[in-house]
Amino acid sequence: MASAVPAHVPTERVVDFDLFNPPGVETDYFAAWRTLQGGPGLVWTTANGGHWIATSGELVRSLWADGERLSSECLAVTPGLGEVMRFIPLQQDAPEHGPFRMAVMKGLASRFVVALEPKVRDVARELIEGLRDKGSCEFVADFAEILPLNIFLTLIDVPLADRPALRKLGVQLTRPDGSMTVEQLRDAADDYLRPFIEARMAQPADDLFSRILSEPVMGRAWTFDEAQRMCRNLLFGGLDTVAAMIGMVTLHLARHPEDQRLLREQPELIPAAADELMRRYPTVAVSRNAVVDLEVDGVTVRKGDLVYLPSVLHNLDPACFEAPEVVDFARNLTPVRHTTMGVGAHRCVGAGLARMEVIVFLEEWLGAMPEVTLDPAQPVTMKGGNVGACTALPLVW
């Protein structure tokens, strides 16, 4: 949906760029986004109702962390999505945001992540055992969409058999195909979650939702509406991002057998390799709406304008990282400066869990599988969206 260019947007800043279908995304998500590099640091696209896109890494990172002039309320450029979803804590601003985020952070504390690691290993080993003798697989469907989703569903203690149906909902949020309205998507998630939320609020157990809902916010108990918005947020947050990341990491390994060999020979490099691969292959972006007029990169962003912040344009900006397209396991990422998991007050609450899953995946996959390569007879396919992803990753060994 194209829109007219507002009067305050200079003509030279206007581009034709649809984040859900950028040019060439089917074969290379990252190259598609990098077509915006080298020009102004902030551009305006007429696609999807019209919005700004930060294209320089410095701007992406600084605006992502700007909680005073930019609000998280809008959620995404998909019309109506933010108003309908009302996620807690993702769409909240300070000071309301802090107490709710703290409760979620306590529920995802490092001790719970550490305790979950054996389960991640068990699931990874089971999946690998089922694939190893086959000689080939479609990695997205056979592994990437199973491991992190099964772990998340275990965390919230819902039936693993529900994974395929829930996965479809997650994709509709980040890469919508028009088959559901945003209201239908919200209602489908809420209808699924309602009995679990009611049970956790009445009699807390040891699952993630129970831990969070047992934490008072501002000295009081959660209301059902707040609990529903929080559980809705975590459900969608757990259904797509890590699956997309594991797919991209595996694509790199399949294209670079020398890196497979290196990590097998020196498994102590795996934690640093996970950090670097997560930096090199970011697929998450966020939207912010301006709450005041502000001057950015020589132009005026008006109050109410939407600004889109893609992590790929920070992590792959040569002004922010030397030779950013090169995967270098010795790259100094301490303290972590990439934006794959966000930055500032809204940095992903599940970042520690996601990192652990990627590390365990690399350890188990490289420890048990032979060298894998891309299947020359079948194409790798990708799709854009608020979380980009491989949609098909055929491997052979």
Side-chain angles (χ1 to χ4, degrees):
M1 178 182 66
S3 65
V5 179
H8 68 283
V9 176
T11 303
E12 64 272 15
R13 298 288 180 130
V14 178
V15 296
D16 180 15
F17 191 92
D18 181 352
L19 69 93
F20 294 107
N21 191 30
V25 71
E26 300 86 355
T27 56
D28 194 331
Y29 169 88
F30 304 96
W33 272 100
R34 295 187 80 180
T35 61
L36 292 178
Q37 290 181 325
L42 195 68
V43 298
W44 178 275
T45 176
T46 56
N48 300 298
H51 60 89
W52 296 101
I53 301 173
T55 68
S56 86
E58 181 183 358
L59 272 185
V60 170
R61 186 171 176 83
S62 63
L63 293 176
W64 202 314
D66 189 339
E68 294 186 4
R69 302 180 299 171
L70 298 172
S71 169
S72 302
E73 187 177 1
C74 64
L75 181 62
V77 302
T78 306
L81 190 65
E83 294 89 339
V84 167
M85 289 299 174
R86 299 169 61 237
F87 286 148
I88 288 177
L90 186 61
Q91 288 180 255
Q92 294 175 311
D93 297 319
E96 179 187 35
H97 167 256
F100 289 98
R101 178 181 171 87
M102 181 58 66
V104 176
M105 292 289 286
K106 287 181 178 180
L108 281 165
S110 59
R111 68 182 185 276
F112 298 120
V113 173
V114 171
L116 193 61
E117 183 178 318
K119 176 64 176 178
V120 179
R121 291 194 186 278
D122 288 345
V123 175
R125 288 171 181 172
E126 181 180 352
L127 291 172
I128 290 167
E129 187 66 26
L131 293 176
R132 189 167 46 214
D133 293 339
K134 293 184 176 180
S136 66
C137 74
E138 198 295 281
F139 183 81
V140 174
D142 293 340
F143 195 104
E145 291 187 342
I146 300 176
L147 173 67
L149 272 72
N150 278 12
I151 296 306
F152 178 73
L153 298 184
T154 298
L155 256 180
I156 62 175
D157 193 21
V158 302
L160 297 184
D162 297 341
R163 175 179 51 80
L166 292 173
R167 172 64 179 163
K168 291 178 182 177
L169 297 183
V171 171
Q172 287 302 317
L173 182 85
T174 56
R175 297 182 293 280
D177 62 11
S179 62
M180 299 179 76
T181 66
V182 292
E183 291 84 5
Q184 288 171 332
L185 182 59
R186 175 203 60 199
D187 292 347
D190 287 354
D191 289 345
Y192 177 80
L193 288 169
R194 186 171 294 107
F196 297 108
I197 297 171
E198 290 172 345
R200 307 303 192 259
M201 295 185 80
Q203 190 170 355
D206 193 36
D207 61 281
L208 177 60
F209 287 169
S210 292
R211 292 199 299 267
I212 295 171
L213 293 173
S214 296
E215 288 288 337
V217 287
M218 296 172 285
R220 59 167 177 81
W222 293 68
T223 68
F224 183 81
D225 177 69
E226 291 165 347
Q228 188 173 51
R229 291 163 60 194
M230 182 277 295
C231 293
R232 185 192 298 155
N233 189 166
L234 290 188
L235 180 71
F236 281 115
L239 291 177
D240 197 39
T241 52
V242 181
M245 176 56 63
I246 288 177
M248 292 298 184
V249 166
T250 306
L251 174 61
H252 174 87
L253 294 176
R255 285 175 168 168
H256 297 275
E258 70 279 8
D259 282 346
Q260 293 184 55
R261 292 191 287 269
L262 174 62
L263 295 178
R264 285 192 178 96
E265 293 166 3
Q266 301 183 55
E268 68 275 10
L269 295 178
I270 285 178
D275 291 333
E276 171 66 348
L277 290 166
M278 291 169 74
R279 177 206 64 82
R280 173 57 182 85
Y281 296 101
T283 62
V284 175
V286 298
S287 303
R288 297 287 187 262
N289 51 291
V291 295
V292 295
D293 289 357
L294 58 151
E295 298 300 315
V296 179
D297 193 47
V299 297
T300 300
V301 175
R302 295 290 188 200
K303 180 180 179 180
D305 283 357
L306 192 149
V307 185
Y308 197 71
L309 306 172
S311 58
V312 60
L313 293 184
H314 171 253
N315 292 6
L316 298 185
D317 187 339
C320 298
F321 297 92
E322 184 178 355
E325 74 286 353
V326 174
V327 169
D328 177 5
F329 298 153
R331 188 186 296 273
N332 181 14
L333 290 174
T334 306
V336 175
R337 295 182 295 111
H338 63 69
T339 52
T340 299
M341 294 294 175
V343 63
H346 282 279
R347 187 172 187 270
C348 176
V349 292
L353 174 61
R355 181 176 184 268
M356 181 270 282
E357 289 183 82
V358 173
I359 290 172
V360 170
F361 158 67
L362 287 170
E363 290 173 346
E364 296 300 328
W365 184 267
L366 294 171
M369 287 291 288
E371 191 168 286
V372 301
T373 59
L374 297 178
D375 185 344
Q378 301 182 69
V380 174
T381 60
M382 301 187 187
K383 191 171 182 181
N386 294 307
V387 179
C390 287
T391 50
L393 178 52
L395 302 178
V396 294
W397 53 88

